[in-house]
C-alpha cells in the first residue's frame, strides 16, 4: 500500500511578498500543487488542503484520512533585510521525526538562495503537536526580502519537486523525473494541404528526401 502524504500549504493571505504583488497563501498553494503532482508521479497517495483552509480543519482531515506524513508548507519573514534560506521544524527528536525532517531539509535547502538553518524542534506548533502522522513544518525562504520573494515565485515547481525528493528519500522510494523535463515539448509543422492526393504524395516524397523521415499524410475533413 502506498504511503499517504497530506500537504498543508499556508493559508496566510495577509503575509505579503516583497515582490510580485502576491502573498504566502498563493505561493505556498502553488508549491503544494507541484509537490502533489510529483509525489503522485512517484507512487504516493496525496491529499492537498484547499487554498486558504483553516489549519484546524486541515489537521482534522489529515488525522481522519490516516496520513503517514503531514507536510506544512510555508515561506518565512523577519525584517525585510534578511535572506534566511530553508528552515524545517519537527515536533520532537524522535528517530522518525528527525529522519523525515532531515530528508526534506537536505533536499530543499541546497536550492534556496539564503543561508539555511539546522533542523529545529518546535512542539508549540499545532501542525506538529496535533497531527497523528509524522509531521514536518517547512519554511522555504524569506518572502519579505526582494531576492527571496522573486526566487520563490520563479521556483515553485523546483521547490515542489525538492519536497518530493525529500519524501522519496525518507521512504526509500525511487524518485521519478518528470518526463516533460527530459523530452520537452514537441512542435508539429504542416507544410501544405492538397485536394489532389497525388500532389500530397509528391510533397511527402520531397519532404522525406529532404530528411523529414517522420513526415506522413493525414486525411482531414474540410
Amino acid at each position: 500500500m502506498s504511503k499517504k502524504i497530506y500537504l498543508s500549504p499556508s493559508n496566510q493571505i495577509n503575509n505579503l511578498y516583497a515582490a510580485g504583488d502576491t502573498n504566502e497563501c498563493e505561493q505556498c498553494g502553488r508549491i503544494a500543487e507541484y509537490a502533489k503532482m510529483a509525489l503522485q508521479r512517484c507512487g504516493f497517495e496525496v491529499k492537498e488542503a484547499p487554498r486558504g483552509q483553516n489549519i484546524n480543519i486541515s489537521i482534522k482531515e489529515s488525522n481522519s484520512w490516516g496520513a503517514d506524513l503531514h507536510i506544512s508548507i510555508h515561506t518565512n519573514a523577519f525584517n525585510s533585510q534578511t535572506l534566511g534560506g530553508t528552515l524545517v521544524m519537527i515536533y520532537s527528536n524522535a528517530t522518525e521525526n528527525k529522519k523525515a525532517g532531515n530528508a526534506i531539509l537536505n533536499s530543499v535547502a541546497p536550492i534556496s538562495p539564503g543561508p539555511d538553518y539546522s533542523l529545529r524542534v518546535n512542539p508549540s506548533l499545532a501542525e506538529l503537536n496535533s497531527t497523528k502522522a509524522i509531521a514536518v513544518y517547512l519554511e522555504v525562504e524569506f518572502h519579505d526580502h526582494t531576492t527571496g520573494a522573486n526566487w520563490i515565485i520563479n521556483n515553485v515547481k523546483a521547490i515542489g519537486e525538492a519536497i518530493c525528493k525529500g519524501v522519496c528519500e525518507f521512504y526509500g522510494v525511487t524518485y521519478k523525473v518528470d518526463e516533460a523535463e527530459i523530452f520537452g515539448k514537441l512542435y508539429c509543422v504542416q507544410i501544405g494541404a492538397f485536394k489532389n492526393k497525388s500532389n500530397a504524395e509528391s510533397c511527402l516524397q520531397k519532404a522525406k528526401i529532404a530528411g523529414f523521415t517522420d513526415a506522413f499524410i493525414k486525411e482531414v475533413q474540410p
Side-chain angles (χ1 to χ4, degrees), residues 47-62:
K47 186 180 287 290
E48 177 189 350
R51 195 75 58 91
Q53 177 167 279
N54 183 284
I55 63 167
N56 293 318
I57 296 175
S58 298
I59 290 169
K60 289 180 180 179
E61 281 186 350
S62 177

Side-chain angles (χ1 to χ4, degrees), residues 129-144:
N129 64 39
S130 299
T131 46
K132 295 179 182 178
I134 296 167
V136 174
Y137 195 105
L138 170 66
E139 296 271 15
V140 172
E141 178 56 84
F142 281 61
H143 63 248
D144 60 344

Side-chain angles (χ1 to χ4, degrees), residues 60-74:
K60 289 180 180 179
E61 281 186 350
S62 177
N63 289 343
S64 63
W65 185 50
D68 295 294
L69 179 63
H70 181 104
I71 304 175
S72 183
I73 302 170
H74 290 255

Side-chain angles (χ1 to χ4, degrees), residues 10-150:
S10 171
N11 64 357
Q12 295 162 295
I13 195 170
N14 292 322
N15 286 354
L16 303 180
Y17 273 39
D21 190 26
T22 188
N23 59 74
E24 183 174 351
C25 176
E26 176 65 23
Q27 297 309 313
C28 290
R30 294 177 66 209
I31 293 169
E33 288 171 4
Y34 281 112
K36 180 180 180 180
M37 288 188 286
L39 287 163
Q40 289 176 331
R41 185 179 72 235
C42 292
F44 294 98
E45 191 174 349
V46 185
K47 186 180 287 290
E48 177 189 350
R51 195 75 58 91
Q53 177 167 279
N54 183 284
I55 63 167
N56 293 318
I57 296 175
S58 298
I59 290 169
K60 289 180 180 179
E61 281 186 350
S62 177
N63 289 343
S64 63
W65 185 50
D68 295 294
L69 179 63
H70 181 104
I71 304 175
S72 183
I73 302 170
H74 290 255
T75 55
N76 218 336
F78 181 46
N79 62 1
S80 302
Q81 306 298 315
T82 301
L83 192 63
T86 303
L87 168 64
V88 171
M89 292 176 281
I90 53 177
Y91 175 68
S92 74
N93 273 322
T95 301
E96 290 301 291
N97 287 349
K98 288 176 66 176
K99 184 180 176 183
N102 277 319
I104 292 177
L105 175 63
N106 293 338
S107 184
V108 178
I111 68 171
S112 61
D116 304 301
Y117 296 83
S118 58
L119 186 66
R120 292 188 175 183
V121 172
N122 189 346
S124 68
L125 297 172
E127 288 194 271
L128 295 181
N129 64 39
S130 299
T131 46
K132 295 179 182 178
I134 296 167
V136 174
Y137 195 105
L138 170 66
E139 296 271 15
V140 172
E141 178 56 84
F142 281 61
H143 63 248
D144 60 344
H145 188 286
T146 302
T147 299
N150 280 318

